[in-house]
Amino acid sequence: MKILVIESSPHQHGSSNLLAGEFIRGAKESGHEVTVFDAGHADLHPCLGCGACGMAGPCVQKDDMAAFQEQLMASDMAVFVTPLYYFGFSAQLKTVIDRFYSINGQLTAKGLKTALLVAAWDSNDGTMRDIQAHYETLCRYLNFQNQGEVLGVGCGTVEMTKRTRFPQEAYALGKRLRG
């Protein structure tokens, strides 16, 4: 299976990317082909809502999104990786998701497998409720086939994250994927 991991943290060696690394290790051990798109450091611009794409592309903006969309459409699975920012996706990942608008129909028809990896400092009840609901709503709307979620609470720093169960959960999610 071709898997596209979409990292979105401005911290390349932060907690969410630690979870991504463990997921990738598990997926590769199970024979999957993995590519990483670093949305946290890509040249991406927010959707203008101009409607020029007609929800069927191409987007009028000239940035890294065109190459990303090609990678996404050539993949069997996408993994959304984000730090928790004010109970939602990072702005970098939200920009990517908003730009799905220009390929909405193609993406919905694809039935893409997806997963969500999140790292949050907080570990209070309800910390992940809103991001999980948003992701699951995206899955329903875009016909994504949710393969799993790792909602890492208490993962404020890399050292904190390493002491939790969440790196192992991310590894196990990658490892158990089937074609």
Side-chain angles (χ1 to χ4, degrees):
M1 179 166 48
K2 288 181 160 181
I3 301 172
L4 179 60
V5 174
I6 308 159
E7 296 178 345
S8 67
S9 177
H11 304 283
Q12 287 180 313
H13 304 290
S15 294
S16 63
N17 288 353
L18 170 70
L19 297 179
E22 288 301 301
F23 171 88
I24 291 166
R25 185 170 66 89
K28 284 183 174 181
E29 285 180 11
S30 289
H32 301 290
E33 179 184 329
V34 180
T35 304
V36 175
F37 179 77
D38 184 0
H41 297 90
D43 177 28
L44 299 173
H45 307 287
C47 180
L48 299 172
C50 67
C53 67
M55 295 179 78
C59 180
V60 298
Q61 299 195 77
K62 305 300 178 216
D63 60 8
D64 292 340
M65 195 64 184
F68 166 77
Q69 287 177 345
E70 284 180 27
Q71 287 180 307
L72 182 65
M73 295 309 291
S75 298
D76 303 302
M77 181 175 186
V79 181
F80 300 101
V81 182
T82 185
L84 186 73
Y85 282 4
Y86 288 93
F87 306 99
F89 299 115
S90 69
Q92 295 83 349
L93 184 55
K94 185 67 167 76
T95 297
V96 168
I97 292 168
D98 287 350
R99 294 282 298 280
F100 286 171
Y101 186 79
S102 68
I103 57 168
N104 199 79
Q106 298 142 287
L107 197 53
T108 301
K110 187 169 179 60
L112 191 68
K113 293 179 181 179
T114 61
L116 175 66
L117 307 177
V118 185
W121 189 287
D122 238 351
S123 57
N124 297 326
D125 289 345
T127 295
M128 295 292 190
R129 179 183 54 236
D130 295 327
I131 195 168
Q132 185 177 31
H134 189 169
Y135 168 71
E136 291 174 359
T137 298
L138 284 172
C139 288
R140 283 189 300 279
Y141 175 70
L142 290 170
N143 195 32
F144 290 161
Q145 309 307 308
N146 184 7
Q147 303 300 296
E149 303 161 18
V150 176
L151 306 174
V153 293
C155 294
T157 67
V158 169
E159 288 309 312
M160 288 170 67
T161 305
K162 287 178 180 178
R163 291 190 301 266
T164 69
R165 70 180 191 275
F166 301 110
Q168 180 58 35
E169 285 184 15
Y171 169 79
L173 176 57
K175 187 81 172 166
R176 76 172 175 259
L177 293 173
R178 299 291 169 246

